[in-house]
Amino acid sequence: MTSWELADLLGVHESDIRLDALPNQPLHVVLELARHLDLHPADLTPFAEDVYHLPRHHQVQQPPKPSTEADAVAVLNALAHAGRPVTADYLAETLHWNTDRTTEALEHAWDNPTLGGPYALRRVASAHFTLTPRMDVLTDEQMNAIHPGNHTATWRNPNGTHRRPLQRDVLSDLDATVLHHAWHHGSVSADEHRPWAHAIAGLIDAGYLTITTDGDTVLADDVQYGLRAIDTDDVNPY
C-alpha cells in the first residue's frame, strides 16, 4: 500500500501520515492507521507509549451519600412542617427513606440537640416524635415572663419560686414514683400527697398526667397507650 493509498483510506492528506505529523492527528486516525498496519499505536507515536499502556479504569459516578447530620436536619424540618407528633415509619414513608436511614437520623438528632436550633426533638406517645421549644435557652425569669397567661401563677412552684416545665424525656425518681402511683391507683392527688405537688404539676405541664372533667388527675392517653392500657383507636395516630 502506497502512502497515497493509505492516506486516502484514512481520509487524510498524504503528508499527514508521516510519523512527525501523526501527533497532530485525531486519535481515531492514529488508531485506524495502527489497525491497518497491524501495529500497536505506540509504534506509530512513541511519545505516547506510556499513555497507551495505561490500564483503562471504569469509574462509575455514585451519587454522594447523604450525611447523617443532613438527614437529621431534614427529619427535624419535616417534624416542624408536620406540626404534630408522627411515628418514625410515617417519617420514612413521607421522606421516601428506609427505616434504618430514618432511625439513624432520629438518633443523631437526639444525640445533638442543638441541631434543632430553638427546638428540641421529643418522644411522645409510643414511638411518636415531635418538636418542642428547648428548655435550656431562657432563664427561669425569662420563661416566666414570656409564657402567655397569668404571669403571677405560670411556671411557679407551690412555694412561689419559679418552676420550669418538665421535659418529656427527663424524669426524676419522684416523677417516676408519682406516675407509678397514678398507674396502679388510677389517679393521684396533690392534696393526699403534699410533697408530690411540685412533681404532679410538672407532669401535668409535660403531658404525662391530665385532669379529667371530674377533677381526677390520671395518666394521659398517650402514656396509657405506651403502657398498652388503651387501644390505638382511642389515641390520635398522628
Side-chain angles (χ1 to χ4, degrees), residues 40-113:
H40 191 281
D43 295 332
L44 297 177
T45 55
F47 69 92
E49 183 171 1
D50 292 340
V51 176
Y52 287 120
H53 281 85
L54 286 176
R56 185 171 183 177
H57 297 281
H58 295 276
Q59 296 183 348
V60 179
Q61 295 294 329
Q62 297 290 347
K65 183 179 180 180
S67 67
T68 304
E69 182 154 328
D71 282 353
V73 172
V75 162
L76 293 172
N77 192 267
L79 289 173
H81 282 289
R84 65 185 188 278
V86 297
T87 64
D89 290 340
Y90 183 82
L91 282 171
E93 180 182 354
T94 53
L95 295 174
H96 304 291
W97 293 354
N98 57 42
T99 303
D100 290 341
R101 181 178 177 183
T102 306
T103 301
E104 289 179 5
L106 285 169
E107 290 176 349
H108 189 77
W110 194 264
D111 293 336
N112 298 271

Side-chain angles (χ1 to χ4, degrees), residues 72-86 91 105-106 109-110 112-124 128-135 168 238:
V73 172
V75 162
L76 293 172
N77 192 267
L79 289 173
H81 282 289
R84 65 185 188 278
V86 297
L91 282 171
L106 285 169
W110 194 264
N112 298 271
T114 58
L115 285 179
Y119 292 95
L121 179 65
R122 303 289 182 210
R123 290 191 182 99
V124 295
H128 283 61
F129 298 88
T130 189
L131 292 182
T132 60
R134 286 169 55 185
M135 300 298 180
R168 297 186 65 96
Y238 300 116

Side-chain angles (χ1 to χ4, degrees), residues 171-180 199:
L171 289 177
S172 67
D173 292 342
L174 180 58
D175 295 329
T177 300
V178 172
L179 291 175
H180 184 268

